[in-house]
């Protein structure tokens, strides 16, 4: 298998130059001008197009038992959607329904959902929802199997949340094992009490989801986690940071030496809380946690991204149909399954509203949507860049393409799109996974089951 991409404008997190890329087998073997290839090579002409490293979504849910139901996607649908949208590697969360189930079983279950079914490469963050001697041993085994990041929830009382003692012990274990701890930061008790307050006042609509999880509740979670992490020197990564208050807490922690990385989501950059206020329960499509915020936060995050205070842009893809699933919360916003799916749209929305709108440059775009995730989660330089020896995960991107997003044409398995009718400026015209073409002219042509588990070594000592 050989692949030649000719005449592209190659963009990495730090460079921008014109050259050809040649891959013999699964890795890039040559980069240079006027490269030739054997007659049987696949040749892609990238004249007038960018060539980016395959994008990485570091926060995805595919198999997710959650809030009395299951997320809609399978690895078949999600990996196709990811690839059409330019994402060649995703990191899914292993989130078991019950904290009492053995974690080793969770790891096997999630592997079983992905191996042989995914068209893109994948790896996992291991959720830790309880910690004792036995689970610490299982976690050590799972890290040895190649999962070098944990996920913890300070939110979701009675489901995924943990005690402060467990938090303390988890952060100590992570430090010992050299893994980074990703964390959903919202104060679970405050959320619960505020939910009771609003429901008690008869305020049951989707718009009250925001009021039950105001910015301070999230910022308190960030502060709480940073304080605990500081005690052990553990490396932490704040998932789905949504508001200035949380960003300020994270930046303050970074200034005093806490090793902290910040993720935000494409949803927070382009949507705001008015969407969750749409009439006739339409707002339920826009319920996720932390909630969409006041529009003023968007500029704060575009600035933080431009300055690279924010490391990564993810999706927290968690798909629940409007009919039959979001509708479970018609009379009670606390029963609306949380999630605004965007796995397929992340890269195009970031390009359209970031690069094409002049808010961020191309290198920052690549850094936030690919390179930083590879570095933080131990996949660099195999993933996240274009270099000799790196996997030939490449996105040939057409900046002149114009199209619209619609549920009718999307590949994710969902009955709506949160971005219905939105214009995109640019899209991947070709995508390769380890040297094989998986998307051509915007259409999936890849191989279900070819996606590999990316084994990751601990890199946060
Ligand atoms: O609303 C969200 N974020 N849904 C998925 C679960 C989580 O919190 O990551
Ligand atoms: Zn979360
Ligand atoms: Zn999540």
């Amino acid at each position: 298998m050989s692949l030649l991409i000719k005449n592209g404008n190659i963009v990495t997190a730090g460079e921008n130059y014109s050259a050809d890329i040649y891959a013999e087998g699964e890795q890039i073997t040559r980069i240079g001008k006027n490269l030739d290839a054997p007659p049987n090579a696949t040749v892609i002409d990238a004249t007038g197009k960018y060539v980016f490293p395959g994008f990485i979504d570091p926060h995805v849910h595919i198999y997710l038992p959650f809030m009395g139901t299951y997320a809609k996607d399978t690895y078949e649908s999600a990996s196709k959607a990811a690839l059409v949208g330019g994402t060649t590697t995703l990191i899914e969360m292993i989130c078991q329904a019950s904290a009492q189930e053995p974690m080793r079983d969770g790891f096997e279950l999630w592997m079983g959902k992905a191996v042989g079914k995914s068209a893109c490469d994948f790896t996992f963050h291991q959720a830790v929802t309880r910690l004792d001697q036995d689970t610490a041993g299982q976690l050590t085994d799972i890290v040895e199997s190649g999962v070098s990041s944990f996920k913890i929830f300070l939110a979701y009382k009675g489901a995924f949340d943990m005690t402060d003692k467990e938090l303390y012990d988890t952060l100590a274990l992570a430090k010992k094992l050299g893994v980074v701890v990703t964390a959903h930061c919202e104060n679970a008790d405050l959320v619960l009490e505020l939910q009771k307050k609003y429901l008690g006042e008869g305020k049951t609509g989707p718009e009250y989801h925001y009021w039950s999880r105001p910015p301070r509740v999230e910022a308190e979670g960030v502060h709480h986690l940073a304080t605990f992490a500081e005690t052990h020197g553990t490396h932490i990564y704040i998932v789905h940071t949504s508001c200035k208050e949380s960003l300020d807490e994270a930046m303050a922690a970074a200034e005093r030496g806490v090793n902290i990385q910040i993720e935000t989501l494409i949803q927070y950059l382009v949507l705001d809380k008015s969407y969750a206020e749409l009439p006739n329960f339409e707002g339920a499509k826009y319920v996720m946690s932390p909630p969409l915020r006041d529009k003023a936060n968007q500029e704060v995050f575009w600035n933080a991204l431009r300055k690279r205070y924010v490391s990564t842009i993810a999706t927290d893809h968690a798909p629940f149909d409007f009919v039959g699933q979001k509708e479970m919360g018609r009379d009670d916003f606390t029963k609306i399954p949380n999630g605004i799916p965007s796995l397929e749209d992340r890269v195009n929305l970031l390009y359209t509203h970031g690069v094409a709108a002049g808010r961020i440059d191309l290198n920052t775009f690549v850094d936030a949507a690919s390179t930083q995730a590879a570095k933080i989660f131990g996949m660099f330089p195999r993933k996240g860049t274009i270099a000799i020896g790196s996997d030939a995960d490449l996105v040939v991107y057409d900046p002149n393409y114009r199209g619209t997003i619609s549920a009718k044409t999307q590949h994710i398995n969902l009955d709506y799109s949160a971005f219905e009718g939105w214009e995109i400026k640019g899209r991947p015209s070709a995508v390769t996974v380890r040297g094989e073409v998986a998307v051509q002219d915007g259409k999936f042509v890849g191989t279900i089951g070819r996606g590999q588990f990316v084994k990751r070594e601990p890199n946060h000592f």
Side-chain angles (χ1 to χ4, degrees):
M1 184 172 65
S2 35
L3 169 76
L4 178 65
I5 298 183
K6 287 193 75 66
N7 306 318
N9 186 350
I10 298 171
V11 184
T12 66
E15 296 166 303
N16 189 331
Y17 60 98
S18 295
D20 303 341
I21 300 171
Y22 180 74
E24 184 61 54
E26 299 197 342
Q27 278 80 40
I28 296 169
T29 47
R30 282 187 289 154
I31 300 174
K33 298 270 186 198
N34 304 316
L35 297 184
D36 47 24
N40 63 347
T42 303
V43 180
I44 297 174
D45 181 8
T47 305
K49 296 183 178 132
Y50 296 116
V51 186
F52 299 128
F55 293 101
I56 301 170
D57 190 336
H59 186 166
V60 175
H61 301 274
I62 297 172
Y63 176 64
L64 178 65
F66 185 49
M67 298 184 73
T69 185
Y70 291 84
K72 278 292 301 295
D73 269 322
T74 60
Y75 260 89
E76 281 97 330
S77 59
S79 63
K80 271 190 202 173
L83 286 165
V84 169
T87 294
T88 52
T89 304
L90 58 83
I91 313 185
E92 200 201 355
M93 310 273 172
I94 300 175
C95 290
Q96 285 166 283
S98 157
Q100 302 318 314
E101 291 168 16
M103 287 184 186
R104 188 83 221 172
D105 292 0
F107 175 66
E108 300 296 344
L109 176 64
W110 261 259
M111 278 290 263
K113 300 269 174 202
V115 174
K117 288 157 190 138
S118 185
C120 69
D121 284 355
F122 58 90
T123 180
F124 303 105
H125 302 300
Q126 174 64 48
V128 184
T129 49
R130 137 178 105 96
L131 197 74
D132 50 32
Q133 248 190 345
D134 179 41
T135 46
Q138 293 181 47
L139 284 166
T140 307
D141 290 348
I142 290 168
V143 170
E144 275 167 17
S145 304
V147 173
S148 61
S149 44
F150 292 164
K151 169 73 185 288
I152 59 169
F153 294 87
L154 305 190
Y156 303 126
K157 191 86 191 153
F160 298 140
D161 69 318
M162 54 169 42
T163 64
D164 276 355
K165 166 80 171 105
E166 287 169 319
L167 174 61
Y168 181 86
D169 291 344
T170 302
L171 291 165
L173 178 68
K175 179 68 185 170
K176 188 173 120 203
L177 296 175
V179 306
V180 59
V181 177
T182 74
H184 177 139
C185 296
E186 287 180 299
N187 184 301
D189 286 293
L190 271 171
V191 170
L192 188 64
E193 293 312 314
L194 288 169
Q195 286 177 332
K196 284 196 241 166
K197 169 179 143 65
Y198 287 110
L199 290 178
E201 291 170 3
K203 296 171 174 163
T204 58
E207 66 275 28
Y208 292 103
H209 178 72
Y210 171 90
W211 295 103
S212 70
R213 312 175 97 102
R216 271 287 143 220
V217 167
E218 183 186 332
E220 193 282 334
V222 175
H223 182 84
H224 195 80
L225 177 76
T227 308
F228 275 65
E230 199 169 356
T231 329
H232 299 299
T234 314
H235 295 201
I236 52 173
Y237 173 99
I238 313 297
V239 299
H240 48 44
T241 313
S242 74
C243 57
K244 181 177 183 309
E245 289 82 347
S246 296
L247 184 64
D248 288 348
E249 287 291 353
M251 297 296 296
E255 279 208 359
R256 63 177 194 269
V258 179
N259 199 312
I260 185 168
Q261 309 281 345
I262 302 164
E263 169 195 281
T264 192
L265 307 181
I266 189 64
Q267 295 93 315
Y268 299 132
L269 290 169
V270 298
L271 298 170
D272 63 74
K273 86 182 206 301
S274 66
Y275 285 87
E277 294 161 1
L278 288 172
N280 304 321
F281 199 62
E282 280 288 296
K285 295 176 179 173
Y286 297 91
V287 166
M288 68 175 301
S289 296
L292 296 175
R293 299 301 188 187
D294 280 330
K295 203 168 174 53
N297 287 283
Q298 291 177 357
E299 237 20 71
V300 172
F301 276 87
W302 283 114
N303 278 332
L305 184 58
R306 188 161 47 239
K307 293 188 173 138
R308 302 201 185 182
Y309 299 154
V310 166
S311 297
T312 57
I313 305 293
T315 59
D316 193 7
H317 182 73
F320 298 98
D321 273 343
F322 181 72
V323 176
Q325 290 191 300
K326 292 280 187 182
E327 278 181 337
M328 288 159 55
R330 241 186 214 287
D331 302 319
D332 176 348
F333 68 87
T334 68
K335 297 197 166 66
I336 301 170
N338 288 195
I340 306 178
S342 51
L343 178 60
E344 192 161 349
D345 306 311
R346 174 184 69 126
V347 169
N348 292 333
L349 288 171
L350 187 62
Y351 184 86
T352 302
H353 295 272
V355 179
R359 289 187 171 109
I360 55 170
D361 64 23
L362 282 164
N363 305 106
T364 304
F365 166 70
V366 171
D367 199 41
S370 178
T371 312
Q372 282 301 320
K375 286 186 172 168
I376 296 166
F377 297 115
M379 295 185 275
F380 189 85
R382 175 177 169 192
K383 307 283 189 192
T385 195
I386 296 176
I388 290 171
S390 296
D391 281 355
D393 297 347
L394 299 162
V395 176
V396 178
Y397 200 84
D398 180 1
N400 296 314
Y401 175 83
R402 295 292 177 268
T404 46
I405 297 173
S406 174
K408 291 196 188 78
T409 49
Q410 70 192 1
H411 295 77
I412 58 167
N413 183 20
L414 197 69
D415 67 0
Y416 77 97
S417 167
F419 312 101
E420 187 68 42
W422 285 35
E423 190 192 26
I424 47 162
K425 298 180 175 171
R427 75 159 184 194
S429 56
V431 178
T432 67
V433 179
R434 286 176 283 103
E436 187 183 281
V437 179
V439 173
Q440 200 147 32
D441 301 323
K443 298 209 167 35
F444 177 75
V445 294
T447 310
I448 294 294
R450 187 168 176 272
Q452 281 180 357
F453 170 61
V454 183
K455 213 165 177 270
R456 299 178 293 119
E457 299 291 326
N459 62 336
H460 289 273
F461 291 100

